[in-house]
Amino acid sequence: MEVSFIVPVYNVEQYIRPSLDSILNQTHRDIEVILVDDGSTDRSGAICDEYAAKDSRVRVIHKENEGTGYARNTGMDAASGEYLYFCDPDDFVSPVLIEDNYRIAKENDADMVTFGYKTVWRKENGVSRNREEVVIPPVLGAYNRESYWNRFQEFGIGGTVWNRMFRRSFIEAHHIRYTNLSNGQDTYFVYDAFSAPFNKIVFNDKMYYTYMKRSGASTTVYKPQRTENEYMIACRFEEMVTALPYCEGLCGGAVKARYLWVLSRTLGNISRAGKDLSLHEKVNILKYAADKERIRETLCTVKMSEIHAKSTRVMVMLFKLRLYKTVVILGKIREWLKPE
């Protein structure tokens, strides 16, 4: 096969059919679709089997629940495609996603292709979020490893996998695998891929993926381990950029921003807990985050002139003054929090 779709599936029976229909509607037909049923307790696994019975390109792997990261690893182990594409089971893909991006990958002999996507806040329980956000790569074209990292400040990386295709031989050669963090396993995987010696990466400005943001999804609920996971990811980011000769002396601001992002994510996380956490507990979580070694050093050294967003400057100032209770109170205002 030319491209392997890998789809981790867990308890998404009400969303999975439209998603699978969009996958199987690809204009590029030489694909396989590997559905990894990660121990679903609803009808998701049965729906996967139903699609496999109707379309020979679909394979289903049923396994015990271990989390999205390990489910994707299981899919990679079974994949035979020249390129890998990771799709979530409640989102939608453009019918020309594979046709366009596989052609681009082959024309440029690329190990990775990155393209645009749209986030839609899903209407649920009769309430419409009435919000969409389109994200496209800020710089376009094909780049080798050196030319990409020399312009890293313009590009950034991002931490999603469903707006990228990866050459399977590249992933396997560098032993790139998913962790099973309760959040952020996508970002860890992307960082490992970008830090490996890739041949070329291509940036495509067209939008091919629709990410459906819904309440109750893993990114919208409180997770006790989020701060620890985000800190690990920030440390991995610093390790990645400081190990690359192309980034020497150029990425200090990006590293600081990544550690400050841990504070922002922590604030967003405790806001989702609502009344399940007391004010005292929320303050202690913020103290815990701010006292992490690299975050503490960042708060001591970062200058306000290095921070572009006004809300982040205010947040950092309050953290510097250790006014955690004020941070919690202001954090309830949604304008403070970036959409995730």
Side-chain angles (χ1 to χ4, degrees):
M1 291 293 173
E2 289 174 344
V3 179
S4 298
F5 271 82
I6 297 173
V7 186
V9 176
Y10 180 73
N11 288 358
V12 285
E13 62 177 352
Q14 66 187 113
Y15 307 113
I16 191 171
R17 289 182 187 275
S19 179
L20 292 181
D21 290 341
S22 76
I23 291 171
L24 295 172
N25 195 37
Q26 291 296 299
T27 55
H28 187 97
R29 305 296 293 175
D30 193 10
I31 63 173
E32 63 176 355
V33 181
I34 302 173
L35 307 177
V36 184
D37 172 29
D38 192 35
S40 295
T41 57
D42 65 0
R43 295 192 64 255
S44 297
I47 294 171
C48 291
D49 290 335
E50 175 189 324
Y51 273 79
K54 294 189 299 184
D55 195 315
S56 61
R57 296 173 298 170
V58 179
R59 284 193 287 156
V60 183
I61 301 172
H62 298 282
K63 61 183 290 296
E64 65 180 20
N65 180 255
E66 293 182 290
T68 301
Y70 287 173
R72 286 174 172 157
N73 287 343
T74 298
M76 283 196 289
D77 290 340
S80 60
E82 183 183 0
Y83 283 83
L84 304 174
Y85 178 67
F86 301 98
C87 179
D88 284 350
D90 51 355
D91 298 334
F92 305 96
V93 295
S94 163
V96 294
L97 185 154
I98 299 302
E99 179 180 348
D100 288 359
N101 290 288
Y102 179 73
R103 183 188 70 250
I104 289 170
K106 294 294 288 182
E107 288 174 351
N108 292 277
D109 191 24
D111 288 324
M112 294 180 278
V113 179
T114 295
F115 46 83
Y117 65 92
K118 176 173 65 176
T119 299
V120 176
W121 278 256
R122 189 187 292 271
K123 179 178 180 178
E124 291 189 326
N125 301 321
V127 178
S128 176
R129 306 296 182 192
N130 192 30
R131 187 175 171 194
E132 295 184 1
E133 181 183 35
V134 175
V135 178
I136 62 172
V139 184
L140 309 177
Y143 298 83
N144 63 23
R145 192 186 190 206
E146 181 176 358
S147 62
Y148 166 79
W149 282 108
N150 281 335
R151 298 183 64 180
F152 164 71
Q153 299 287 35
E154 300 171 60
F155 282 84
I157 292 182
T160 53
V161 293
W162 28 252
N163 64 322
R164 311 174 197 271
M165 275 177 46
F166 302 89
R167 183 158 28 201
R168 182 165 63 92
S169 60
F170 163 73
I171 295 297
E172 291 178 347
H174 300 289
H175 311 289
I176 301 168
R177 306 282 286 178
Y178 286 92
T179 69
N180 210 32
L181 298 176
S182 57
N183 63 278
Q185 67 269 73
D186 288 23
T187 306
Y188 226 102
F189 185 91
V190 171
Y191 286 179
D192 284 349
F194 273 73
S195 61
F198 58 82
N199 177 47
K200 282 183 185 176
I201 180 169
V202 183
F203 294 88
N204 177 2
D205 66 347
K206 293 184 175 61
M207 191 274 290
Y208 297 92
Y209 191 88
T210 300
Y211 169 44
M212 301 299 294
K213 191 85 166 179
R214 56 186 174 84
S215 61
S218 61
T219 56
T220 63
V221 297
Y222 170 72
K223 292 186 177 182
Q225 292 300 312
R226 185 177 290 274
T227 296
E228 196 65 42
N229 292 346
E230 292 289 349
Y231 184 68
M232 288 173 57
I233 294 167
C235 291
R236 177 69 184 94
F237 177 80
E238 181 177 22
E239 175 189 0
M240 172 178 64
V241 297
T242 54
L244 292 165
Y246 322 113
C247 296
E248 188 174 358
L250 298 176
C251 295
V255 170
K256 289 180 182 179
R258 194 61 188 79
Y259 283 117
L260 295 180
W261 180 234
V262 178
L263 297 179
S264 180
R265 296 281 277 186
T266 299
L267 181 56
N269 190 40
I270 62 175
S271 74
R272 298 186 195 102
K275 295 180 180 179
D276 292 338
L277 292 177
S278 68
L279 176 61
H280 178 72
E281 289 172 318
K282 291 178 180 179
V283 166
N284 282 339
I285 291 171
L286 292 183
K287 286 181 179 178
Y288 172 78
D291 200 44
K292 289 288 190 181
E293 180 182 1
R294 297 297 291 128
I295 295 177
R296 187 173 65 249
E297 292 174 3
T298 298
L299 287 171
C300 288
T301 59
V302 69
K303 299 176 182 178
M304 292 300 159
S305 59
E306 298 178 86
I307 304 171
H308 299 296
K310 181 179 179 180
S311 59
T312 305
R313 288 200 298 270
V314 175
M315 183 190 73
V316 169
M317 184 178 298
L318 293 174
F319 269 104
K320 282 175 173 283
L321 296 172
R322 306 183 74 83
L323 297 175
Y324 304 119
K325 187 179 294 186
T326 304
V327 174
V328 172
I329 294 170
L330 290 177
K332 295 178 181 178
I333 304 174
R334 290 303 300 171
E335 287 76 11
W336 268 62
L337 304 175
K338 293 181 179 180
E340 297 179 14

